[in-house]
Amino acid sequence: MKLIKYLLLFLGTSSISYAQNIVIKNSETKEPLESAILISEISKTVITTNSKGEAEISDFTNSERIQIRAIGYKMLIKSYREIQSLNFEIFLEPSSVEIDEVVISATRWGQLSGNIPSKVTKISSREMALQNPQTAADLLGASGEVFIQKSQQGGGSPMVRGFSSNRLLYTVDGIRMNSAIFRAGNIQNVISLDPLAIENTEVLFGPGSIIYGSDAIGGVMSFKTLTPQFSKTDKALVKGNALGRYSSANKEKTMHFDVNVGWKKWSYLSSASHSEFGDLRMGTHGPTEYLRPHYVIRMDSADRVVSNPDPLVQNPTGYSQINLMQKLSFKFNEKWDFHYGFHYSKTSEYSRYDRLIETQSNGLPRSAVWNYGPQKWSMNQFEINHKNNFKLYDQMTLRLAQQTFEENRIDRNFSGEQRFRLRTNLEEVQAYSANLDFEKHSGKHQFYYGAEFVQNDVQSFGSALDIRNNQAIPVADRYPTSHWKSYAAYLNYQYILSSQFIIQSGIRFNAFDLESDFTRHLSFFLFDFTSSRIQNSSTNGSIGAVYRPDESWKISFNASTGFRAPNVDDVGKIFDFAAGDVVVPNTSLKAEYAYNGEINIAKVFAEQVKIDITGFYTYLDNAMVRRTFQVNGKDSILYGGIMSRVYAIQNAAKATVYGFNFGIDIKLPGGFGLHSRFNYQLGEEETDGGIVGRSRHAAPAFGVTRLNFQKEVLSLELNAMYCAEVSAKNLNEEEKQKPFIYAKDQNGNLYSPAWYTLNFKAMYKVSESLSISAGVENLTDQRYRPYSSGIVAAGRNLVMSVRTQF
C-alpha cells in the first residue's frame, strides 16, 4: 500500500490547476494556426497548438515574456496579462524572414535556432503540401539544401556537406534509424518513410555525434511524424485528411488517409498510404547516352535483348509501396504523458536500374535480372515524458524502440556460366534502442544530458536456384551472423553570458562492441578465422558560441568532432561491386573521426530581407575505404565462378571537405516573396597509392531559387532547381568505372553535365475542408541525370492532388 502511495506522489498527482486555453490565428485569413509554438521564461517547456490553433497555457500564468512563433510568421512577444486582455486570442502576421525557429534536432529539446551555433534547416508541413513530394527522399531534395542521388526509382540517397550513406544519420521521432548494415555505397532506406505522415523535418548540418553517436558525421536528418492531439474541451476532437495524387511522368497513383480522435487524456492517430509508380519517363532534351534503347526479357526459356518502343521510358523502374502508422497517447496529468507508436513500410520488388543498364565489353547487358526484393521496415516505439522542477531535471524523456529491417537482392547474369543461377541475398536486422534524455535550466545555465543503448542483431541468408531445373545451388551469405552494440552517455551545456552572447559545449563517451561469426562462410572461402570481435570506444566534443548584437543578427562559430564505428557492412560484407572485383571481410577495423569547424552569419534587414551564409571545413581521419587486400596471401579468389581481385574496407585514407551554404529571403510587396539557396562543397580524399582525388560523395554546386505568391487561400510558386557540371578532370576515380551512367564530353571523356529545371506549383483552398494542388515539374522537359545517379530524372511531369480535411 505504501508503494502505491509513493508511486502516486512521484507521478505528481498533487498538481491540480485550472486549464486556460489560447487560440492562435493567421492575421490575414483568421484561420487557426496548427503547430504554432509558445515558450515562456518561467517554464522552458515548448507548447504546440493543435489543429484548431489551441494550446493550454496554465503553466505560463504570471509570465512577463511569452514568445509565440510559427513557421512563416512574425514572432510575437506578450505577457500573460496582455494575452488575457486579448481574451486569449492571438493573431500572427505572415513573414518569411525570421532568424529564429524552434528546432529539436540540435539537442533533442526545443530550442531557438538563433541560439545554437550549428546550422539547422526546417521543412514545414505547409511547404511539404505545396511541393507534393512522392517520397521522403524527394522531400529532402525539395529543400534545395540536400542533394539526392538515385540508383533506381525506388531510391534516394542524400548527400550533405560531402558525406552520404552511413556517414549521415536518420532519426524518426527521435529514434535512430541507421542499422548495422548501412553501407558506404548509396542507400535507399529513407523511402521507407511516408512523406504524407511527416509533420516536419529538420536537417542538422555537420557532426551531430554528441547527441546521436556513430554515423552523424555529415549531418542528421530528423523526421517527426504526425502526433496525436488531445481535445482541449469535454468534446472529443475528431480530425483527419484524405488525399489522392496523380503524376504523369511515372503514372504515380497515391492514396492517403489519416484520422485523429482525441479526448482530454487519450488520443489516437491512424495513417495509411498506398502508392503505385510506373516506369519513369525521362525528358526529350539532353544527352543521347541516357536513352534506354533496349532492355532484357525472358522468352522461350532464353534471355533476349529487345528494342524499347519508347527509349525515353526507363524500363523496368516501376514499383509500389504501402505505409501504415498507428499512435496512441495518454496524458496522466500535466506532468506525465505516455506515447506508443507503430510504423510499417513495405515496397514491392523493384529493379536496380543502374545495374540493368551496365554492359559487358561486347555491348551485351551484364545482368538479365538485378532487383531489390521487397524492402520492409517496422518500428514499435514507447515514449514517456515527465515535466517537473526537480534538482536533476526540468524535463525527462525515455524512448524505447524495436525495429525490424528486411532487405534482399536478387540477381542473375545475362551470359556466361552464371546465366542460369538466380541468386538471392536476404538480410534481416533486429534493432533495439533505449534513450534517456534530460533537460535542466538553472538561471543562465542550461544542461542537456542523457544515455543511450543500441543493439543490432544481423542475420544474412544466401541462396540460389538453377532456373532450368529449380535445383538449389549453394552460395555464400552476404554478411556473417553478427551482434552490434553501442553504449553511450553525453552532456551538452549552454551558458547564457548575456542576452547577446551564448556559449555551448558538449562531450560524449561512446563504447561499441561488434561480434561476428563466419562459420557459414568457411564452405566457400578459406579464411584464417571463424569469428571476430571488435571492442573500442570514442570520445567526442564540441564547443561553439553565438553572438546576437540584436534580434536581427546572428553570428556563430562551432567546432565539433564526429565519429563512425565499424558496422557489420564494413567488417563482414562479401559482394562483387564490379565484374571481377570482390569485397571480403576485414576484422581489424577501427572507428573513423571527423573534425569540423564552421562559421555562420545571418542578418535581417528592415524585416524585409534575410541573408544567411555558413562556411565549413571538415577533416576525416582514419577513413574506412575500399582498398586492395589479400586472403591467405592471395590477391585474387574465385567468387561466383569468376576469378576476382580481392578488396576490403580498411582504415586507409584521409579526406577533407570544405564549402559554404548561402541563403537569401526577400519579402516583396503584394504577397510575393523571393527565396534562394545555394550550396558549394569541394571534397578530396586519398585514393589507392596515396594520390589525392575528388571525393565520391561531394555533390557539385547546387541550389534552388523560388518566386512565390501567398494570398489568403491561394499559394503559387515558380522555382528553378540547378546543378553544376562535374568535368572529366574532376570526376571521382571510382565513378569513372561506371561509364554506363555518365555522358561523354567533346573529347570522349566521362562527365556529369550541368542541368536545370523550371517548376511551377499551385495550391488553392476551395473551402475549409477541400484544397487542390497542381504543378508542372521540369517545364522545359530537360533530360538530365543527377550526379552519381543510375536513373535519369523525370521529364515534364504534371502533378495533381486533391486533399479533403474534416
Side-chain angles (χ1 to χ4, degrees):
M1 193 67 183
K2 289 184 177 181
L3 179 62
I4 296 175
K5 290 181 179 179
Y6 289 140
L7 179 61
L8 291 175
L9 181 63
F10 181 64
L11 291 174
T13 54
S14 59
S15 174
I16 301 174
S17 61
Y18 174 72
Q20 179 59 62
N21 292 334
I22 188 174
V23 179
I24 301 176
K25 297 180 179 180
N26 183 314
S27 63
E28 294 181 357
T29 66
K30 306 301 185 288
E31 293 182 347
L33 295 180
E34 184 176 359
S35 299
I37 300 292
L38 296 96
I39 308 173
S40 166
E41 90 285 357
I42 292 180
S43 171
K44 296 297 182 179
T45 302
V46 175
I47 295 177
T48 306
T49 58
N50 63 14
S51 61
K52 296 183 177 181
E54 300 172 337
E56 201 276 306
I57 59 168
S58 299
D59 288 348
F60 293 173
T61 304
N62 300 323
S63 176
E64 293 297 324
R65 184 181 173 86
I66 300 172
Q67 295 185 22
I68 307 170
R69 300 175 177 273
I71 296 177
Y73 292 86
K74 186 177 179 180
M75 179 190 70
L76 197 63
I77 298 178
K78 295 284 185 181
S79 69
Y80 186 87
R81 289 183 180 179
E82 288 175 319
I83 295 174
Q84 190 176 36
S85 69
L86 296 169
N87 294 319
F88 297 97
E89 187 176 43
I90 296 293
F91 295 90
L92 294 185
E93 177 186 344
S95 173
S96 58
V97 292
E98 290 288 309
I99 283 181
D100 288 316
E101 291 181 320
V102 175
V103 295
I104 305 295
S105 58
T107 60
R108 290 186 182 271
W109 299 99
Q111 285 184 290
L112 295 178
S113 59
N115 292 343
I116 58 177
S118 301
K119 174 179 169 60
V120 179
T121 288
K122 191 166 187 175
I123 307 170
S124 68
S125 56
R126 181 180 175 184
E127 185 177 349
M128 287 188 287
L130 179 62
Q131 299 304 323
N132 240 339
Q134 291 187 351
T135 68
D138 296 334
L139 183 159
L140 291 168
S143 70
E145 297 184 86
V146 178
F147 189 88
I148 300 298
Q149 180 277 351
K150 291 186 179 183
S151 297
Q152 64 283 325
Q153 187 173 197
S157 187
M159 295 182 181
V160 178
R161 287 193 176 180
F163 296 100
S164 182
S165 306
N166 56 16
R167 291 185 179 126
L168 300 176
L169 189 85
Y170 306 82
T171 70
V172 182
D173 293 336
I175 302 299
R176 174 191 180 93
M177 191 183 187
N178 292 41
S179 77
I181 62 172
F182 266 38
R183 57 189 181 272
N186 299 305
I187 59 177
Q188 62 270 2
N189 299 76
V190 72
I191 70 166
S192 293
L193 304 178
D194 181 4
L196 295 170
I198 293 175
E199 199 167 273
N200 61 65
T201 303
E202 294 178 17
V203 182
L204 170 67
F205 293 85
S209 289
I210 301 299
I211 305 298
Y212 298 100
S214 179
D215 304 1
I217 288 180
V220 177
M221 285 154 287
S222 177
F223 300 90
K224 182 183 178 185
T225 59
L226 297 174
T227 303
Q229 297 183 3
F230 296 95
S231 175
K232 304 298 182 181
T233 66
D234 293 329
K235 185 179 179 181
L237 171 66
V238 180
K239 54 166 282 191
N241 295 275
L243 176 141
R245 183 175 62 215
Y246 172 81
S247 301
S248 63
N250 58 359
K251 295 181 171 54
E252 176 215 10
K253 295 181 285 292
T254 290
M255 300 296 295
H256 169 81
F257 176 81
D258 66 73
V259 62
N260 182 106
V261 181
W263 298 269
K264 283 190 172 182
K265 286 189 172 293
W266 291 91
S267 60
Y268 169 81
L269 185 143
S270 181
S271 171
S273 296
H274 180 265
S275 297
E276 293 184 3
F277 307 99
D279 293 335
L280 183 64
R281 182 183 179 87
M282 66 181 79
T284 56
H285 308 294
T288 57
E289 294 96 332
Y290 294 170
L291 294 173
R292 178 67 159 157
H294 47 69
Y295 56 90
V296 176
I297 64 171
R298 186 79 177 166
M299 180 186 299
D300 299 328
S301 300
D303 296 318
R304 302 182 188 277
V305 177
V306 298
S307 295
N308 189 353
D310 187 348
L312 297 178
V313 176
Q314 299 171 86
N315 184 343
T317 53
Y319 75 104
S320 62
Q321 180 169 335
I322 185 171
N323 285 84
L324 303 173
M325 183 176 73
Q326 309 290 330
K327 287 190 173 183
L328 179 66
S329 295
F330 172 61
K331 183 185 292 185
F332 185 81
N333 56 29
E334 293 305 315
K335 297 181 181 296
W336 288 92
D337 53 73
F338 304 82
H339 308 271
Y340 168 76
F342 172 74
H343 302 255
Y344 178 80
S345 173
K346 179 183 178 182
T347 70
S348 64
E349 188 172 306
Y350 56 93
S351 299
R352 179 166 173 179
Y353 185 73
D354 62 337
R355 288 297 185 98
L356 293 180
I357 61 175
E358 183 178 0
T359 57
Q360 306 174 67
S361 58
N362 59 9
L364 293 174
R366 180 188 172 193
S367 300
V369 176
W370 216 118
N371 294 340
Y372 285 112
Q375 177 176 292
K376 301 178 185 178
W377 170 70
S378 65
M379 179 171 75
N380 289 280
Q381 177 195 5
F382 181 64
E383 180 178 310
I384 302 174
N385 296 306
H386 182 224
K387 295 183 292 185
N388 211 340
N389 293 322
F390 286 161
K391 288 185 178 181
L392 292 179
Y393 66 86
D394 297 325
Q395 296 186 79
M396 177 275 292
T397 296
L398 172 66
R399 296 181 179 91
L400 305 174
Q402 178 273 329
Q403 299 178 75
T404 300
F405 301 85
E406 184 177 310
E407 304 174 5
N408 56 92
R409 297 160 175 81
I410 305 162
D411 70 288
R412 184 171 60 81
N413 290 350
F414 179 81
S415 57
E417 295 181 4
Q418 303 303 317
R419 69 185 184 278
F420 300 116
R421 187 196 67 173
L422 183 66
R423 180 178 58 178
T424 300
N425 287 108
L426 171 65
E427 282 76 55
E428 294 179 352
V429 180
Q430 295 293 331
Y432 308 92
S433 62
N435 292 86
L436 186 60
D437 300 295
F438 300 95
E439 178 190 34
K440 179 63 183 178
H441 298 263
S442 179
K444 295 184 176 182
H445 308 276
Q446 299 181 14
F447 301 89
Y448 308 93
Y449 63 99
E452 178 187 71
F453 169 74
V454 179
Q455 177 172 328
N456 282 195
D457 298 328
V458 178
Q459 289 188 298
S460 180
F461 308 95
S463 62
L465 287 176
D466 188 322
I467 62 173
R468 295 169 296 185
N469 52 29
N470 286 329
Q471 293 296 310
I473 301 172
V475 294
D477 302 332
R478 182 178 174 89
Y479 298 116
T481 299
S482 302
H483 306 281
W484 186 90
K485 298 177 184 177
S486 171
Y487 315 82
Y490 75 92
L491 169 66
N492 214 38
Y493 168 67
Q494 193 174 77
Y495 179 51
I496 305 173
L497 279 170
S498 67
S499 60
Q500 296 179 323
F501 199 76
I502 297 172
I503 296 175
Q504 182 169 301
S505 62
I507 189 170
R508 179 187 182 102
F509 175 78
N510 209 130
F512 52 89
D513 184 356
L514 172 56
E515 296 181 88
S516 298
D517 181 0
F518 293 89
T519 303
R520 285 169 56 92
H521 290 82
L522 297 182
S523 301
F524 304 93
F525 308 101
L526 297 177
F527 296 141
D528 55 1
F529 53 86
T530 59
S531 63
S532 70
R533 186 170 190 178
I534 297 176
Q535 291 179 295
N536 215 321
S537 62
S538 172
T539 302
N540 288 265
S542 69
I543 185 166
V546 179
Y547 176 54
R548 302 288 301 271
D550 56 49
E551 289 293 323
S552 68
W553 275 97
K554 176 190 175 183
I555 303 171
S556 66
F557 163 79
N558 192 48
S560 58
T561 66
F563 81 102
R564 187 172 76 83
N567 66 16
V568 178
D569 187 84
D570 300 313
V571 172
K573 178 168 62 178
I574 302 176
F575 87 114
D576 52 335
F577 65 91
D581 295 317
V582 62
V583 171
V584 300
N586 179 9
T587 60
S588 58
L589 282 174
K590 299 178 181 179
E592 58 185 16
Y593 291 89
Y595 304 87
N596 178 77
E598 61 186 88
I599 297 175
N600 171 256
I601 300 175
K603 169 65 176 173
V604 173
F605 298 90
E607 298 185 353
Q608 301 295 316
V609 179
K610 175 188 172 184
I611 294 177
D612 191 329
I613 185 167
T614 302
F616 65 90
Y617 178 90
T618 305
Y619 173 71
L620 184 66
D621 191 25
N622 221 24
M624 287 180 272
V625 293
R626 189 163 59 206
R627 293 290 184 264
T628 55
F629 198 63
Q630 290 186 343
V631 175
N632 297 325
K634 298 180 179 180
D635 61 6
S636 297
I637 62 174
L638 193 66
Y639 181 79
I642 301 173
M643 185 57 66
S644 301
R645 189 176 184 184
V646 175
Y647 291 79
I649 304 297
Q650 302 171 58
N651 296 108
K654 298 176 175 62
T656 59
V657 183
Y658 59 89
F660 66 88
N661 311 109
F662 174 79
I664 184 168
D665 300 287
I666 303 174
K667 185 178 180 181
L668 300 172
F672 285 91
L674 182 67
H675 314 272
S676 190
R677 301 291 182 268
F678 181 77
N679 311 274
Y680 174 82
Q681 46 279 313
L682 179 65
E684 295 181 328
E685 61 184 27
E686 287 182 325
T687 60
D688 219 347
I691 301 172
V692 176
R694 291 300 174 93
S695 172
R696 176 186 175 193
H697 292 304
F702 69 98
V704 62
T705 298
R706 310 179 193 276
L707 175 64
N708 55 31
F709 172 80
Q710 175 72 46
K711 202 70 173 178
E712 297 181 352
V713 297
L714 179 64
S715 297
L716 301 174
E717 178 178 295
L718 178 66
N719 71 60
M721 304 194 78
Y722 37 85
C723 181
E725 170 189 291
V726 179
S727 67
K729 177 183 176 181
N730 293 327
L731 190 62
N732 172 265
E733 290 299 318
E734 194 171 330
E735 292 297 298
K736 291 179 181 178
Q737 308 307 311
K738 308 172 185 176
F740 45 92
I741 68 172
Y742 288 102
K744 292 183 178 180
D745 63 17
Q746 59 185 2
N747 298 316
N749 298 316
L750 300 176
Y751 83 117
S752 179
W755 56 266
Y756 77 93
T757 62
L758 297 177
N759 313 279
F760 176 75
K761 306 280 186 177
M763 184 165 62
Y764 179 69
K765 192 165 186 177
V766 179
S767 66
E768 290 294 325
S769 60
L770 180 66
S771 59
I772 298 174
S773 295
V776 181
E777 299 172 344
N778 196 356
L779 281 161
T780 57
D781 206 23
Q782 298 297 302
R783 183 188 307 146
Y784 69 100
R785 176 179 268 143
Y787 166 71
S788 192
S789 293
I791 195 167
V792 182
R796 186 181 295 117
N797 184 30
L798 173 65
V799 182
M800 299 187 66
S801 69
V802 177
R803 181 190 293 266
T804 180
Q805 298 174 300
F806 59 89

